[in-house]
Amino acid sequence: RERASRDQRQTESNRHSITNMTSQEALVLNDESHPTIRLHATVVFAILNSHSRREDKQSRVIGSLLGSAHDGYIEITNCFAVPHLERIDDIYVAINKDYQKTMYNFHKKVNQKETLLGWYSTTRPGSSMIIDNSSLIHDYYSLEVKNPLHLVIDTNLDHLDEAAAAGASPGNGKD
């Protein structure tokens, strides 16, 4: 009887977790000036895949986010990694801009509804979600898209309550 009661409590606890998981299909920015962000699972898997296949000397990966903007929400449906060189001891990032533009043009040919929304990065081991070099990358994407999104995926699992975070800041780029 005691075991049955414990099993029932465990089942209710699991049901509560599953309910919470399915009801949070999108990342929601807490600022009313930003729309809801719907992040497709395939995007997260692609980011994690590129992170797991990165070169040993790379501590994180970056890439472009693709999708569409709707009334009240932004939907991130695709992404691709962008090669870069980064020095952490200096504030230095070299982005392969030609690769980024070529890949984006390829994606536009296949799916004309997807537009460039911003960029993503993964976390560095033992580092915070956003580092100084992130501002340089954000500056680049600000030239490519107005108000670029920045999605950070915590691959260290240091911040389980915030395994993914997204935000936007005013840009001075294209519409």
Side-chain angles (χ1 to χ4, degrees):
R1 184 176 201 183
E2 184 178 313
R3 183 174 182 212
S5 177
R6 185 171 24 123
D7 289 345
Q8 182 180 2
R9 282 194 308 269
Q10 183 67 34
T11 303
E12 288 173 8
S13 174
N14 288 344
R15 190 178 312 125
H16 182 61
S17 298
I18 291 169
T19 301
N20 283 344
M21 247 180 16
T22 58
S23 68
Q24 296 178 359
E25 296 173 356
L27 297 173
V28 179
L29 298 173
N30 293 327
D31 187 346
E32 290 179 6
S33 65
H34 293 91
T36 299
I37 298 173
R38 294 185 181 173
L39 178 62
H40 286 225
T42 54
V43 174
V44 176
F45 293 138
I47 294 169
L48 293 173
N49 184 42
S50 65
H51 181 79
S52 68
R53 295 173 183 263
R54 74 189 187 286
E55 294 180 23
D56 290 337
K57 63 183 178 181
Q58 280 188 302
S59 58
R60 68 178 183 158
V61 294
I62 67 167
S64 295
L65 296 172
L66 305 173
S68 54
H70 305 276
D71 287 336
Y73 70 95
I74 295 173
E75 190 166 17
I76 303 172
T77 54
N78 212 336
C79 68
F80 60 88
V82 175
H84 74 291
L85 175 64
E86 185 171 24
R87 289 190 210 131
I88 303 306
D89 49 344
D90 285 338
I91 298 179
Y92 174 83
V93 177
I95 301 170
N96 190 333
K97 297 174 187 178
D98 292 335
Y99 179 88
Q100 190 277 330
K101 289 178 182 180
T102 301
M103 286 297 292
Y104 178 52
N105 287 330
F106 285 151
H107 276 275
K108 281 196 314 191
K109 287 180 182 179
V110 174
N111 191 344
Q112 295 174 355
K113 292 181 181 179
E114 288 183 342
T115 61
L116 183 63
L117 298 174
W119 66 288
Y120 71 82
S121 65
T122 57
T123 52
R124 293 182 51 240
S127 181
S128 62
M129 296 281 273
I130 298 176
I131 61 172
D132 290 339
N133 284 346
S134 297
S135 63
L136 299 174
I137 301 166
H138 199 79
D139 286 347
Y140 165 71
Y141 278 92
S142 292
L143 299 174
E144 299 297 315
V145 64
K146 185 178 180 181
N147 300 326
L149 292 175
H150 178 199
L151 173 70
V152 182
I153 302 293
D154 180 11
T155 53
N156 301 318
L157 300 177
D158 290 338
H159 312 278
L160 286 176
D161 56 334
E162 297 177 2
S169 67
N172 46 356
K174 301 177 182 177
D175 289 331

